[in-house]
Amino acid sequence: MFISYSGYRLFFRFALPLVLFMLIGALFDQVVIVMLFGTIALLVWHYRQITRLSFWLWKDKKLTPPQGRGSWEGVFNGIYRLQGKNRRRVSKLSTLLARFRQGAEALPDAAVVLDAEHNILWCNKLAQLILGFVWPQDNGLRIDNLIRHPNFSTYLKKAQYNEPLEIPSPVSDKRLLEIRVIGYGDRQLLLIARDITRIHQLEGMRKDFVANVSHELKTPLTVLQGYLEIMQTMEAPDSPNHKPLSMMQQQTTRMQSMVEQLLALSRIEDAVDIDLSQTVNMALMMDTLKEEAYGLAGTEYTLEFNCEPGLNTHGNELQLRSACSNLISNAIRYTVPGGTISVTWRSVATGALFSVKDTGVGIAPQYINRLTERFYRVDNARSSKTGGSGLGLAIAKHALNHHYSELNVTSEYGKGSIFSFIIPSHLLVRQ
Ligand code: ADP
């Protein structure tokens, strides 16, 4: 147990020898001389204590301080106590750090801590395994010198980490990694890499399965459709078979259109690097869309088409037309006769806007986010009646993604909807 020295006690210890020297001096009638020599002796003693302290602090390997005497005892003990406190704090911190590291090692993903200049500060074992880092040799190296994929360097340079990046693993081309970067603390970054090879393979299998099944269904459906048509023409109009045959034909037509849409979706999904160098003449495309719309709507709807002249875009004409025509046919199908559908193509600040506005049934807000999922329909009964498959908006979404664009939906239930997308300025061609 160390004693702390109060200011009063220290003063007392300092004054005591001086009083003693004064008394001895008075005894021999030599107050000044005795006081002078006494003070010098006191100074020499204090200097010795400072030397002992300095030796212990800088040179001595011992943990315990030298035995302090007089007023120095408190100082020595105080420093020792402070050191003990610091040692306990350091050991607490290192236990915490060790626990954090154990936690990070237990992560199912590779984790790398980077500083603001993208130098590696720390990585877990999985990072060494799937990113091929060597620890501690790679400590302090720039991460883009170790992961040498051009997309990765661009991703780091852009510093927009909202979307993950997919790149092949630096260890093996056959493995695919999903990289996420999260900023934290003083401009530090946490990089998380996950092996998504298996998920990617499964996704590929799913796409192939859908494409193959759809393809295989096409021929039997065409045969069925053909025979049903023949059988229908052979039946007399008042025959009891007439109704079932026409129902069967309706359903096969529906199945055929579903298969067509599934095939279109797999084609669009598969086309990763589509050629966007082609210039799409939007005025011509709008004319075709208008014709199709009139064919579908007849005279029961008011159709308005506004197209800004000379505003064209680079892109894939088939995919863009498929997206636009899906939006227009939906607007017609989900609007009761008598309604108005306005289609617009015009310049806006960030590019060119294509929008389809209807005065139809509208969509409640809770369904809007799910519209582009495959086979998703807000109201199954109504959608079946309109002949929909639930694939149209999924096709539109993929087609628009290939054009650096996304589908925006605003809708008011019971009043109508606006489906729109913006083609970014860098794709536009103005004449
Ligand atoms: P479907 O072939 O069923 O129309 P889509 O993928 O084109 O499939 O659309 C998905 C769902 O979104 C539709 O079933 C419908 O409920 C809703 N929807 C799409 N467009 C509109 C619209 N203009 N007005 C109201 N609902 C719409």
Side-chain angles (χ1 to χ4, degrees), residues 330 333-334 358 363 371 376-378 383 388-390 392-393 419:
N330 276 352
R333 285 188 293 125
Y334 297 104
D358 65 52
I363 307 153
L371 292 182
Y376 184 79
R377 289 143 148 201
V378 176
S383 304
S389 61
L393 293 183
F419 283 73

Side-chain angles (χ1 to χ4, degrees), residues 79-89:
I79 294 175
Y80 181 62
R81 192 161 158 252
L82 211 65
Q83 276 198 334
K85 239 184 187 174
N86 279 345
R87 261 198 303 278
R88 278 195 296 279
R89 200 172 293 159

Side-chain angles (χ1 to χ4, degrees), residues 261 326-327 330-335 358 360-363 371-373 375-379 382-384 386-394 411 416-417 419:
Q261 284 212 306
N326 268 321
L327 299 185
N330 276 352
I332 298 170
R333 285 188 293 125
Y334 297 104
T335 300
D358 65 52
V361 295
I363 307 153
L371 292 182
T372 53
E373 286 173 21
F375 299 111
Y376 184 79
R377 289 143 148 201
V378 176
D379 177 349
R382 184 193 288 272
S383 304
S384 306
T386 59
S389 61
L391 289 168
L393 293 183
S411 186
S417 321
F419 283 73

Side-chain angles (χ1 to χ4, degrees), residues 118 144 147 149-161 165:
H118 305 147
D144 42 358
I147 303 178
H149 196 280
N151 292 0
F152 181 69
S153 311
T154 324
Y155 185 66
L156 280 186
K157 256 184 226 142
K158 271 195 187 161
Q160 282 165 359
Y161 305 124
L165 171 78

